[in-house]
Amino acid sequence: MGVSGFGVHTAMWAMEWNREAAEYAIPEAVRHGIDFLEITMLDPEGVDTDHTRRLLEKHEVECVCSLGMPLDRLPTNDPDGALAFLKLALDRSHAIGAKAMSGVIYGGIGQRTGFPPTEAEIDATARVVRAAAAYAAGLGMEYGLEAVNRYENHILNTAEQAVAMVEKVGADNVFIHLDTYHMNIEEKGLANGILKAREHLKYIHLSASDRGTPGCDTVQWDEVFATLAAIGFKGGMAMESFISVPPQIASALSVWRPVAPDREEVLGQGLPFLRNKARQYGLI
């Protein structure tokens, strides 16, 4: 997908990506030896693309972008509006130099009907993803689908469901994005999820079981890294921890208390912990 090695989700520094966030986070990425940033694109129109691109190029940091779609513009309730939003987000992501856009870019965080997804919902989702992926391909970008837990979305919760969607869409630039926090809830073993997604897996969030500091949690990290090594994983590994979460995002993610004392603990302990595990298993 164009990025590899270790990245950090910009939620570490700010959830709203503006000039101030860019000027703070990008030099911090360099200071911590991070290979790439995952930049939130929740408000595409509010991103100063020229400013961000100049800073990324100046500091030689690569990026991917991620988002969850607005709940009033989903493939299942407004397919035209959903596609228009995704095209805007792709344009803005491309403008800052992103190699890919990923996340809940098939639906929204908080998208739940109270029932399992219907065939009509799956079909509607696939149609919009197919069209958005084609648009991304025209920009030279890849398009990632993140399976998230049952409390955040009811369309894709498991690696198996993500594989089915990728194969239904049938586009070469669509890949699977897993997340250890969500897998810890949904998969019958972290290794099983990675193995099921292996043919399409290009990106993974390394997230603690409480979304705090990796290594101070209950995720079976040796299982995660050993399985990634076993499948010859070459994609991006991004640490995601929600330290700075505005109220509207906190509500969607159900984050009601601090998940770590501060970002210094997560970056000072969690990031080296993950790097050491990756090095132990020959992934870096």
Side-chain angles (χ1 to χ4, degrees), residues 41-42 66-79 81-83 85-86 89 101-112 117 121-122 124-130 132 143-149 152-157 165 252:
M41 193 60 67
L42 296 173
S66 64
L67 57 89
M69 296 173 65
L71 293 178
D72 62 347
R73 281 170 285 173
L74 300 174
T76 53
N77 62 20
D78 181 6
L83 183 57
F85 177 82
L86 289 168
M101 191 170 80
S102 192
V104 190
I105 52 176
Y106 54 86
I109 299 172
Q111 178 186 5
R112 299 185 304 272
E121 288 176 317
I122 296 296
T125 300
R127 282 193 296 271
V128 171
V129 169
R130 189 177 298 116
Y143 198 91
L145 306 180
E146 181 184 9
V148 298
N149 71 75
E152 295 184 17
N153 184 279
H154 77 298
I155 301 291
L156 299 182
N157 300 139
M165 180 61 72

Side-chain angles (χ1 to χ4, degrees), residues 20-279:
E20 292 74 22
E23 289 170 6
Y24 179 39
I26 294 171
E28 281 290 290
V30 174
R31 186 167 75 86
H32 288 281
I34 294 164
D35 300 306
F36 66 91
L37 279 171
E38 181 181 329
I39 296 174
T40 55
M41 193 60 67
L42 296 173
D43 176 23
E45 292 180 331
V47 176
D48 186 332
T49 56
D50 290 341
H51 177 257
T52 292
R53 185 169 191 134
R54 285 196 302 270
L55 282 174
L56 290 169
E57 290 175 347
K58 174 184 176 182
H59 292 283
E60 299 182 337
V61 175
E62 294 189 330
C63 74
V64 298
C65 290
S66 64
L67 57 89
M69 296 173 65
L71 293 178
D72 62 347
R73 281 170 285 173
L74 300 174
T76 53
N77 62 20
D78 181 6
D80 291 340
L83 183 57
F85 177 82
L86 289 168
K87 286 181 175 180
L88 172 63
L90 284 163
D91 283 338
R92 307 296 279 180
S93 298
H94 180 255
I96 67 173
K99 308 292 185 179
M101 191 170 80
S102 192
V104 190
I105 52 176
Y106 54 86
I109 299 172
Q111 178 186 5
R112 299 185 304 272
T113 63
F115 299 94
T118 64
E119 185 175 345
E121 288 176 317
I122 296 296
D123 288 345
T125 300
R127 282 193 296 271
V128 171
V129 169
R130 189 177 298 116
Y135 190 82
L139 298 173
M141 294 176 64
E142 294 191 75
Y143 198 91
L145 306 180
E146 181 184 9
V148 298
N149 71 75
R150 66 191 71 182
Y151 309 110
E152 295 184 17
N153 184 279
H154 77 298
I155 301 291
L156 299 182
N157 300 139
T158 68
E160 185 174 15
Q161 289 176 308
V163 169
M165 180 61 72
V166 168
E167 293 180 351
K168 186 177 183 69
V169 170
D172 291 340
N173 65 324
V174 177
F175 64 90
I176 290 176
H177 166 175
L178 293 180
D179 182 312
T180 53
Y181 168 78
H182 300 298
M183 294 168 69
N184 195 51
I185 297 170
E186 298 294 344
E187 301 292 346
K188 296 185 185 300
L190 297 170
N192 288 337
I194 293 169
L195 291 171
K196 286 177 182 174
R198 63 189 299 169
E199 289 183 33
H200 305 289
L201 181 62
K202 293 188 179 182
Y203 197 65
I204 188 165
H205 276 165
L206 302 173
S207 303
S209 57
D210 63 350
R211 288 186 147 149
T213 306
C216 300
D217 65 321
T218 61
V219 169
Q220 299 300 306
W221 291 109
D222 286 294
E223 180 181 344
V224 171
F225 285 101
T227 311
L228 290 174
I231 67 169
F233 181 76
K234 302 295 183 184
M237 298 174 283
M239 183 176 71
E240 182 184 48
S241 179
F242 291 106
I243 301 298
S244 302
V245 187
Q248 66 272 27
I249 303 299
S251 177
L253 299 176
S254 298
V255 176
W256 311 120
R257 57 183 170 75
V259 293
D262 48 48
R263 67 172 57 91
E264 285 69 30
E265 177 185 288
V266 182
L267 288 167
Q269 298 180 33
L271 187 59
F273 171 82
L274 293 173
R275 276 200 176 116
N276 287 339
K277 285 294 180 186
R279 191 172 294 113

